[in-house]
Amino acid sequence: MARLLRVNMADLTATFEDVPPAYSLWGGRGLTSMVTAQEVPPTCHPLGPMNKLVFAPGIVSGTAAPTSGRLSVGGKSPLTGTIKETNVGGLASQKIARLGIKAIIVEGQPEEPGKFWVLKVRRALTGELAAEFLPADDLVGLGMYEVCTRLWDRHGKVAVIGIGPAGEMRMTAAGICVNDQENTAGRYAGRGGMGAVMGSKGLKAIVVDDTGAPGVEIANRELFQRGIDKITEASLRHDVTKKGGALNTYGTNVLANIMNEAGGYPTRNFRSGRFELTGQISGEAKVELIKKRNGEGATGHPCHPGCIIQCSDRWANPDGTFKVSVMEYESVWALGANCGIGNLDDIADLIRACNDVGVDTIEMGGTIAVAMEGGLLPFGDAEGAKKLINEEIRKGTPLGRIIGNGAVFTGRAFGVTRVPAVKGQNMPAYEPRAVKGIGVTYATSTMGADHTAGYTISPEILGVGGKVDPFAVQKAELSRQWQASTAFIDSTGYCLFDVFAVVDNPEGLEGMVESCAGVLGTTWTVNDITRLGLEILRAERKFNEAAGFTAAHDRLPEFMTREPLPPHNTVFDVPEELLDAVYKF
């Protein structure tokens, strides 16, 4: 039977507990949000002792389900002040789940400031679950590439969950890194500053060794197998997710040219919807260069074991040696077009720097763009941007601490009013003035501006699940539907990209639900997706309201409602009453 691992950093104790009924049918985001909603005071300081940090594998993580290695990390965000869930691939989710651990809940703070620990979780020779605290003195101040290397040298091919110097210094743009099969420090639960929360707990890293693990208990194997057969078939047949399909061939950055053509590719701090150098940094350009260099670069790479979509990549230097994984659409855009930088090698340097120092690439790209807006650097200054991360943030200089605390903080420091953020979190790579549905999601999401909270790009731009006019303003119901279904998917352990296959394939959607029901022993059907998703959203919304958030916070920045966006010269004109209608359910 699965257990909860409750870790108290105040007295360095770790206890394994039975899972209470209130948490038993949840996984992933559902579980992180329920624990946060029930155990964290909404008005607490996010970096104080009352906040908790929850690591929860999805419902089917650790099983034979395809593309199901997603880990949710949750708590109260120091960046937004709201409830937060941020999602990551890599090795951790499956190893935690196979050990029979439903979630790791980290609470309290060490009495000795500046003292950091490594938590090692494993199965003892007796077969019992075990957790021990190891001093992290020699890891403090190190970047995540060196941390991952040292921990593999000491513990074998374990999962590593860790923070870089930015997290140690509690910078609110800090993320939490998870290693992959090659032990690359490139998978991030990046959004919301949860790396700062981990730093506030005095936890440098968690090491998960699943040697001798019993695996995930499956209540109804016949139902589970039927479900994974269906979702596997759907993924392998859909043009977006199949082998040789768009994601597998070009990675997520296949969207660069698509969004640029749609006029929704934010450029130079959201001043335009098109970037003149998009062709140089697109997914197609990336693949061409990887093939030309013929070295350690690769496409069609999995971010975690068992992924059948394989949209990741490994980027090589001009001499063919390895540089970084992964060149995601969001990261390439944030540190590329949004900063006016049009060279993939420069962008790769910036992504690697973010991964090592431990900051979210989306937030950091937005922050540097705001700093450029404020005159700190000119747009397009790649070398200056690298210095901000490698020298200022890494060393914790006064300027580094400003930049390391995100776009809104930086905007205040430099007197910039054009800050594209909601609830303190910088916007991702989709312009809401050109794609109104994603703007509604940005505005109303429980977690600040977050495309993954309700990815209306699927119907508005890609035509998945039926084509919707991106300029139409009647998007309250569309955003609500996508937010609810996403909350459920984030709880399953499946990759969000599975949505492309299952939305267009009813049997694939059935398979997703049946595989979860098979693990848990429930009678869920597709009709339960919205119900379960809305239950999660209600808990999150209730937490935020108790923390002081109102409908007035569900708004986009003022400049977007007044400043027309080229090339379509549109503003964000969704009426406020429609934004308020999203949560009237």
Side-chain angles (χ1 to χ4, degrees):
M1 180 176 293
R3 311 290 299 281
L4 292 180
L5 170 55
R6 197 174 290 272
V7 178
N8 190 325
M9 296 303 297
D11 58 10
L12 297 183
T13 57
T15 57
F16 293 93
E17 305 174 355
D18 291 338
V19 179
Y23 300 160
S24 62
L25 296 183
W26 295 111
R29 174 178 169 183
L31 186 51
T32 64
S33 289
M34 294 304 170
V35 172
T36 302
Q38 295 187 30
E39 299 188 17
V40 175
T43 57
C44 76
H45 196 296
L47 300 180
M50 300 306 292
N51 197 11
K52 300 189 180 185
L53 186 62
V54 187
F55 300 89
I59 294 168
V60 298
S61 285
T63 72
T67 316
S68 61
R70 305 300 297 186
L71 178 73
S72 288
V73 182
K76 183 176 179 179
S77 165
L79 185 72
T80 66
T82 67
I83 200 168
K84 190 65 186 175
E85 183 265 359
T86 180
N87 199 280
V88 64
L91 297 179
S93 186
Q94 292 167 329
K95 288 182 180 290
I96 293 170
R98 283 197 289 264
L99 279 170
I101 297 174
K102 185 88 168 172
I104 300 173
I105 304 173
V106 183
E107 50 197 24
Q109 287 181 334
E111 295 181 359
E112 184 180 348
K115 180 69 174 178
F116 284 88
W117 299 88
V118 172
L119 173 70
K120 184 173 183 179
V121 185
R122 60 187 175 85
R123 207 159 188 89
L125 293 176
T126 60
E128 297 295 316
L129 287 168
E132 60 182 320
F133 296 90
L134 307 172
D137 299 13
D138 69 322
L139 301 177
V140 173
L142 295 183
M144 281 308 303
Y145 287 93
E146 179 64 20
V147 169
C148 288
T149 297
R150 291 194 185 191
L151 291 178
W152 263 31
D153 287 345
R154 293 171 192 172
H155 302 285
K157 295 185 177 182
V158 293
V160 175
I161 305 169
I163 56 172
E168 294 175 26
M169 290 183 274
R170 307 183 188 187
M171 296 179 183
T172 56
I176 297 176
C177 178
V178 175
N179 64 337
D180 61 14
Q181 300 97 304
E182 293 85 12
N183 202 29
T184 299
R187 313 295 159 185
Y188 262 85
R191 309 239 67 196
M194 301 312 287
V197 179
M198 191 165 172
S200 76
K201 302 298 182 189
L203 197 55
K204 176 67 175 179
I206 301 173
V207 168
V208 185
D209 184 350
D210 65 343
T211 302
V216 177
E217 292 184 5
I218 298 175
N220 185 335
R221 287 195 170 273
E222 182 180 353
L223 181 62
F224 170 75
Q225 188 61 51
R226 184 164 72 241
I228 66 172
D229 286 346
K230 289 179 180 179
I231 193 168
T232 299
E233 177 70 10
S235 293
L236 292 178
R237 292 181 60 182
H238 196 278
D239 287 342
V240 175
T241 57
K242 69 183 181 182
K243 189 74 170 177
L247 286 173
N248 180 255
T249 302
Y250 299 109
T252 57
N253 203 29
V254 70
L255 284 166
N257 280 327
I258 295 171
M259 289 307 304
N260 197 62
E261 178 63 27
Y265 195 53
T267 300
R268 295 181 179 87
N269 195 37
F270 286 68
R271 284 195 172 273
S272 173
R274 284 192 180 142
F275 183 43
E276 70 276 11
L277 301 178
T278 300
Q280 296 178 191
I281 64 173
S282 66
E284 292 85 345
K286 177 194 71 175
V287 171
E288 183 178 340
L289 271 174
I290 287 174
K291 290 179 179 178
K292 182 179 179 180
R293 291 174 179 179
N294 193 30
E296 294 183 53
T299 58
H301 176 261
C303 85
H304 65 260
C307 176
I308 59 175
I309 298 174
Q310 300 184 357
C311 69
S312 178
D313 57 61
R314 289 173 62 81
W315 179 258
N317 291 305
D319 64 0
T321 57
F322 173 74
K323 167 60 75 173
V324 71
S325 180
V326 54
M327 300 282 276
E328 295 274 13
Y329 168 69
E330 297 289 341
S331 302
V332 171
W333 159 79
L335 296 158
N338 199 41
C339 295
I341 296 171
N343 179 279
L344 281 172
D345 283 315
D346 284 331
I347 295 169
D349 287 341
L350 287 163
I351 293 172
R352 185 180 175 96
C354 288
N355 290 349
D356 197 42
V357 172
V359 287
D360 175 30
T361 54
I362 299 176
E363 191 66 36
M364 192 47 46
T367 301
I368 293 171
V370 167
M372 289 172 167
E373 181 91 33
L376 180 64
L377 301 172
F379 282 103
D381 186 355
E383 294 307 313
K386 293 174 194 178
K387 288 179 181 178
L388 287 179
I389 302 169
N390 285 321
E391 297 181 17
E392 306 293 343
I393 294 178
R394 189 184 297 274
K395 295 176 182 178
T397 67
L399 176 58
R401 289 178 182 271
I402 291 172
I403 300 297
N405 275 292
V408 170
F409 194 96
T410 298
R412 289 174 181 154
F414 286 92
V416 175
T417 58
R418 296 186 74 265
V419 180
V422 179
K423 301 182 183 77
Q425 183 163 271
N426 202 77
M427 291 180 185
Y430 308 92
E431 237 297 348
R433 286 170 286 183
V435 191
K436 304 296 174 71
I438 204 68
V440 174
T441 294
Y442 288 169
T444 61
S445 164
T446 53
M447 303 184 189
D450 185 348
H451 62 298
T452 65
Y455 195 65
T456 64
I457 297 298
S458 293
E460 290 184 288
I461 298 297
L462 303 176
V464 173
K467 189 70 174 73
V468 175
D469 179 5
F471 296 104
V473 300
Q474 300 288 335
K475 297 288 175 63
E477 184 177 352
L478 179 73
S479 179
R480 185 194 309 117
Q481 290 173 343
W482 279 88
Q483 289 191 53
S485 60
T486 299
F488 172 78
I489 294 171
D490 284 343
S491 303
T492 65
Y494 284 113
C495 176
L496 192 56
F497 290 149
D498 280 311
V499 75
F500 294 121
V502 301
V503 165
D504 282 338
N505 186 319
E507 283 206 354
L509 189 60
E510 287 176 0
M512 177 179 283
V513 178
E514 288 170 351
S515 60
C516 292
V519 170
L520 297 172
T522 69
T523 56
W524 290 349
T525 70
V526 293
N527 294 325
D528 291 298
I529 292 175
T530 299
R531 175 184 65 82
L532 293 165
L534 291 179
E535 189 173 342
I536 296 167
L537 293 178
R538 285 191 187 97
E540 294 172 350
R541 185 79 169 187
K542 184 178 179 181
F543 180 96
N544 288 352
E545 289 173 348
F549 287 85
T550 69
H553 295 95
D554 293 343
R555 302 290 184 263
L556 295 194
E558 181 182 357
F559 78 88
M560 289 187 166
T561 67
R562 302 170 61 88
E563 183 181 303
L565 175 78
H568 299 297
N569 296 318
T570 56
V571 298
F572 188 75
D573 54 357
V574 176
E576 291 186 353
E577 55 267 28
L578 288 181
L579 297 178
D580 294 341
V582 172
Y583 275 85
K584 289 182 178 178
F585 55 79

